[in-house]
């Protein structure tokens, strides 16, 4: 929802309260510290509110931004449900670009909720990110594109389902069977590669030793974890 639409919904709410006799323009002006003319011009659509003024009006009316959203918008932008049972946990399947850029996965971004065994999830200990990502949705699932799968053949094929632990960003020494396969942020996209941290670079390698390596330069003093979306914690998982 745009800021303009948000303000229009606020106008409707204020008008509704005035028409119901619950409020007057003068009383609202006193609560906020505005002139009555300011409130009148806002309600008539002659002027808008700055963000700070909008915040003051919401507090005066005991409202939040969520109260101004319609149910459809609330459903779209609400955090993806973390439904679970004694035996299963629901994990969102998302596009790689969403895994790379969205701290909290919301309903609109979820392609599908996939149930994973809780016993498997509970065995996964994070290599904690620095700074911590406590507010991030920890686990997401992605499917490998044909291009990504080609770099990781024959271990993976197009459409392979990978579990990304976005709380785990510590880069470990490279070896084929260990915990060194990561989803890596490159621009707004997501690559899945074996990662080595060498000085001012991250070296990204495919499955085959003959596949060309990619080098991501790091700025001076940059934490390599900034480029890591998360460790691949499972692949082709038993559902």
């Amino acid at each position: 929802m745009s800021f303009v639409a948000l303000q229009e919904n606020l106008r409707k709410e204020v008008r509704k309260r005035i028409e119901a006799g619950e409020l007057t323009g003068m009383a609202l002006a006193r609560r906020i510290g505005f002139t009555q003319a300011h409130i009148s011009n806002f309600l008539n659509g002659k002027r808008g509110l700055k963000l700070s003024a909008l915040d003051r009006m919401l507090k005066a009316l005991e409202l939040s931004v969520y109260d101004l959203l319609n149910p459809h918008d609330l459903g779209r932008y609400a955090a993806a449900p973390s439904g679970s049972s004694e035996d299963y946990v629901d994990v969102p399947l998302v596009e790689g670009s969403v895994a790379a850029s969205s701290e909290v996965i919301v309903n609109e971004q979820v392609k599908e909720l996939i149930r994973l065994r809780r016993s498997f999830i509970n065995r996964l200990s994070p290599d904690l990110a620095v700074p911590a990502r406590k507010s991030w949705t920890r686990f997401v699932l992605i499917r490998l594109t044909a291009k990504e799968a080609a770099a990781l053949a024959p271990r993976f094929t197009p459409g392979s389902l990978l579990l990304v632990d976005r709380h785990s960003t510590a880069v470990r020494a490279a070896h084929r069977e260990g915990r060194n396969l990561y989803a890596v942020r490159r621009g707004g996209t997501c690559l899945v590669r074996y990662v080595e941290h060498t000085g001012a670079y991250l070296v990204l390698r495919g499955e085959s030793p003959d596949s060309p390596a990619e080098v991501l330069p790091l700025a001076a003093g940059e934490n390599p974890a900034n480029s890591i979306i998360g460790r691949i914690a499972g692949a082709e998982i038993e559902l």
Side-chain angles (χ1 to χ4, degrees):
M1 174 178 286
S2 69
F3 189 61
V4 171
L6 200 67
Q7 294 199 59
E8 184 55 37
N9 285 354
L10 180 57
R11 288 188 182 96
K12 292 177 182 177
E13 177 63 24
V14 173
R15 291 192 197 107
K16 183 175 72 174
R17 294 192 186 191
I18 290 175
E19 291 169 2
E22 301 173 6
L23 185 68
T24 66
M26 181 174 289
L28 180 58
R30 282 199 300 266
R31 290 185 200 175
I32 304 172
F34 289 167
T35 64
Q36 187 174 4
H38 192 144
I39 297 298
S40 178
N41 286 335
F42 170 69
L43 293 178
N44 292 330
K46 294 180 179 179
R47 69 180 301 167
L49 296 175
K50 294 182 179 179
L51 187 59
S52 58
L54 177 67
D55 186 54
R56 288 163 63 185
M57 186 174 287
L58 288 174
K59 288 180 179 177
L61 296 170
E62 298 183 347
L63 294 172
S64 74
V65 171
Y66 296 109
D67 294 313
L68 303 180
L69 299 176
N70 63 44
H72 176 68
D73 287 329
L74 282 173
R76 288 172 60 199
Y77 299 120
S82 55
S84 61
S85 66
E86 184 177 344
D87 297 320
Y88 293 94
V89 176
D90 289 334
V91 178
L93 172 64
V94 299
E95 295 287 355
S97 58
V98 171
S101 60
S102 296
E103 295 185 12
V104 176
I105 304 301
V106 299
N107 284 333
E108 187 178 47
Q109 299 168 320
V110 177
K111 298 166 69 68
E112 184 181 354
L113 284 172
I114 295 179
R115 308 190 83 190
L116 301 184
R117 293 187 183 278
R118 178 178 291 279
S119 57
F120 169 72
I121 292 292
N122 288 346
R123 291 198 301 269
L124 300 174
S125 299
D127 292 326
L128 293 177
V130 179
R133 291 179 175 177
K134 291 182 180 179
S135 63
W136 288 45
T137 304
R138 180 178 175 185
F139 293 108
V140 298
L141 288 157
I142 59 175
R143 286 194 185 278
L144 283 184
T145 64
K147 182 177 180 180
E148 286 300 285
L152 298 170
R155 181 176 178 185
F156 298 115
T157 57
S160 290
L161 189 67
L162 305 183
L163 177 67
V164 184
D165 180 354
R166 302 196 306 164
H167 287 192
S168 294
T169 60
V171 179
R172 303 302 182 190
H175 51 91
R176 286 294 180 265
E177 299 303 326
R179 293 168 45 174
N180 65 324
L181 189 61
Y182 295 89
V184 182
R185 183 183 297 106
R186 187 181 65 178
T189 63
C190 171
L191 301 179
V192 178
R193 296 290 190 274
Y194 296 100
V195 178
E196 300 171 43
H197 178 209
T198 57
Y201 301 94
L202 287 180
V203 181
L204 314 181
R205 302 184 187 277
E207 182 69 22
S208 170
D210 298 326
S211 61
E214 294 187 58
V215 176
L216 292 184
L218 302 174
E222 182 183 356
N223 187 338
N226 292 342
S227 297
I228 302 296
I229 300 167
R231 174 172 57 84
I232 302 302
E236 295 304 306
I237 304 154
E238 181 184 355
L239 306 181

